[in-house]
Amino acid sequence: DSLGTYLVTGEARTTAGCRTSVSTEIQVQPGREALVATVDSVCVGEPVLLKSQSIGVSSCAWVLSDGTRYTGCSAEHIFAEAGLKRSRLIVTSSIGCRDSIDQPIFVRTTPIAGFDLDVIASCTPALIRLTNQSQLENSISWTLPDGSSNAAEEVVFTQPEAGTFPVRLLASRDDICFAETTREFTAFA
């Protein structure tokens, strides 16, 4: 249990009674503890930073539940599927002592943003209908050409001026994971 240098002696005896011994010094050093920066959750398709906080280690390796392996004390990884994943950090000291720690990572579902844009009347005042076609979302927010926003599944509005205008849709899953898309329409005078 104590750190330090110790003399260890081993003795051997033959069946004829001959004896021999050998002595060597061994050094007991403190073990290295694997410590990892905590990651609560990440969205599918977004990078997660895996970072060791271990002190006094000479090498690190990461093994992830999707089969990916990294060497180095930090790595960036993108999970392709939602669910509870695992990362294992393995640290090694300069004299070969090893420790490891497992960390769960919750990979959240990322929505897919999409919408239909129908120009019902193209001459000013143009009449435009937007219909949400997003997948895996549980809330949306439209940004209309006049800067206003709307959270309805279908929005019908007029565009009084001529020109080409953008409409943006932000799709959200639990207000944590987001996806967005933008489309344009043209209103004629």
Side-chain angles (χ1 to χ4, degrees), residues 130 141-151 155 157-158 166-168:
L130 308 173
S141 177
W142 301 97
T143 303
L144 304 178
D146 65 0
S148 66
S149 61
N150 194 310
V155 176
F157 67 96
T158 57
V167 175
R168 176 178 166 256

Side-chain angles (χ1 to χ4, degrees), residues 8-20:
V8 177
T9 302
E11 184 176 287
R13 187 178 299 182
T14 67
T15 55
C18 297
R19 295 162 107 192
T20 187

Side-chain angles (χ1 to χ4, degrees), residues 143-188:
T143 303
L144 304 178
D146 65 0
S148 66
S149 61
N150 194 310
E153 288 290 312
E154 183 174 285
V155 176
V156 177
F157 67 96
T158 57
Q159 178 60 45
E161 298 91 24
T164 300
F165 302 93
V167 175
R168 176 178 166 256
L169 173 64
L170 178 67
S172 169
R173 178 71 178 216
D174 303 325
D175 288 328
I176 296 173
C177 298
F178 302 90
E180 68 177 76
T181 187
T182 301
R183 294 182 60 188
E184 293 182 338
F185 69 90
T186 301
F188 299 97

